[in-house]
């Protein structure tokens, strides 16, 4: 589904309560925004997305600009009765392929520049939340790419709240260009630390081998030493795989999974079997 296919007619207002930078000053800016939803009957689940509507007019004459953001935590109702949501926003700038000029990402810069108390227009929620596995003994592979860790923050929180006695393993693989960009897992903020004392939870970092270059995430360093264990998990009849983040990373992951088997067909068969059984979930952008 394309962004232009989403219905923008039903909107609601939100108030920015706080905006906290998650990454240090010397690397890509990523902020966590806490928003109070002014719509009394607003309901959403962790893993769903909301639309942010940036008022225009914009450069190409659009009346507004629309962008989806995945909820970064389980929505909670405050003492005031308003639902509060959290978004993880990476300030984005890109190079125009035609002019060569640097352009500011419209929605990300709009959100990162907002000050507490600001009002904004939103809509949604959209999409289905990552479903929890019915079997608490199921092993889970969570693979995030960049800001794709935001829905997993909400997912893991919900998982251990609703399945406190689960004994299946939860392995979180988080990829980033540099250690400073490991959202929620850096020196500034580590929201997964509360789960580290659980025997079932482990988190692994996948970094670019040259963080000062525009190299892709190097999944090999995080995955290659656990090849047999990962393949054993994938071979189980109740394990689940969850992916979130940048779509262009999917081919690299497929190539790595292919390399740990005896050929592409073996991996594609295993992946298709997981999909057919509803045990392979993707949230890509």
């Amino acid at each position: 589904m394309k962004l232009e296919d989403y219905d923008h007619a039903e909107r609601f207002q939100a108030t920015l309560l706080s905006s906290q930078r998650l990454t240090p000053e010397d690397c890509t800016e990523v902020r966590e925004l806490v928003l109070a939803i002014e719509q009394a009957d607003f309901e959403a689940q962790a893993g769903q997305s909301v639309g942010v509507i940036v008022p225009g007019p914009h450069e190409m004459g659009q009346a507004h600009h629309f962008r989806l953001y995945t909820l970064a935590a389980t929505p909670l109702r405050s003492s005031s009765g308003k639902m509060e949501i959290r978004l993880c926003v990476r300030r984005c700038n890109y190079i125009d392929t035609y002019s060569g000029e640097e352009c500011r990402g419209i929605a990300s810069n709009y959100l990162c520049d907002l000050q507490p108390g600001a009002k904004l227009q939103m809509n949604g929620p959209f999409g289905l939340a990552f479903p929890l596995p019915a079997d608490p003994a199921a092993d889970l592979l969570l693979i995030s790419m960049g800001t794709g860790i935001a829905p997993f923050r909400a997912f893991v929180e919900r998982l251990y709240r609703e399945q406190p006695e689960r004994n299946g393993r939860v392995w979180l693989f988080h990829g980033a260009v540099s250690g400073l960009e490991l959202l929620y897992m850096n020196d500034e903020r580590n929201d997964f630390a509360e789960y580290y004392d659980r025997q079932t939870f482990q988190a692994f970092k996948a970094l670019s081998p040259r963080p000062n270059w525009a190299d892709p995430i190097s999944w090999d360093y995080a995955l290659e030493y656990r090849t047999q264990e990962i393949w054993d998990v994938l071979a189980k009849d109740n394990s689940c795989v969850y992916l979130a983040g940048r779509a262009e990373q999917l081919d690299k992951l497929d190539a790595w999974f292919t390399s740990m088997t005896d050929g592409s067909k073996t991996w594609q068969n295993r992946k298709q079997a997981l999909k057919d059984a509803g045990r392979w979930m993707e949230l890509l952008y």
Side-chain angles (χ1 to χ4, degrees), residues 8 24 51 84 122 131 155 158 192 204 208 223 230 241 254 279:
H8 302 160
E84 294 183 4
M122 306 183 74
F155 177 80
R158 180 183 170 212
F192 289 96
F204 308 99
S208 166
L223 302 174
I230 292 172
V241 180
D254 267 336
R279 297 190 287 119

Side-chain angles (χ1 to χ4, degrees), residues 42-145:
F42 178 84
E43 296 288 344
Q45 299 180 53
Q48 288 187 294
S49 299
V50 290
V52 173
I53 300 166
V54 185
H58 295 286
E59 184 176 355
M60 302 302 292
Q62 312 100 306
H64 64 264
H65 178 80
F66 175 71
R67 172 77 159 82
L68 287 177
Y69 287 90
T70 303
L71 300 180
T74 302
L76 298 174
R77 199 168 294 281
S78 68
S79 57
S80 67
K82 296 179 180 178
M83 191 69 80
E84 294 183 4
I85 64 173
R86 295 173 186 263
L87 303 181
C88 177
V89 182
R90 178 179 184 272
R91 189 185 290 274
C92 296
N93 297 304
Y94 63 93
I95 303 298
D96 186 279
T97 55
Y98 179 75
S99 67
E101 297 179 355
E102 183 177 46
C103 302
R104 286 164 52 89
I106 296 174
S108 68
N109 281 277
Y110 168 74
L111 289 173
C112 287
D113 289 341
L114 286 178
Q115 297 299 311
K119 307 289 185 180
L120 61 157
Q121 292 291 309
M122 306 183 74
N123 66 346
F126 302 105
L128 297 175
F130 275 151
L132 294 183
D135 184 359
D139 289 341
L140 312 182
L141 294 182
L142 317 181
I143 303 176
S144 76
M145 298 160 278

Side-chain angles (χ1 to χ4, degrees), residues 39 57 84 91 101 133-134 136 141 173 190 195 197 203 214-215 234 238-239 245 253 262:
Q39 180 174 292
E84 294 183 4
R91 189 185 290 274
E101 297 179 355
L141 294 182
F173 293 92
N190 192 347
Y195 306 112
D197 60 351
D215 284 2
L234 294 173
N238 65 346
S239 58
L253 279 172
D262 58 5

Side-chain angles (χ1 to χ4, degrees), residues 97 188 191 266:
T97 55
E188 299 288 316
D191 287 0
T266 300

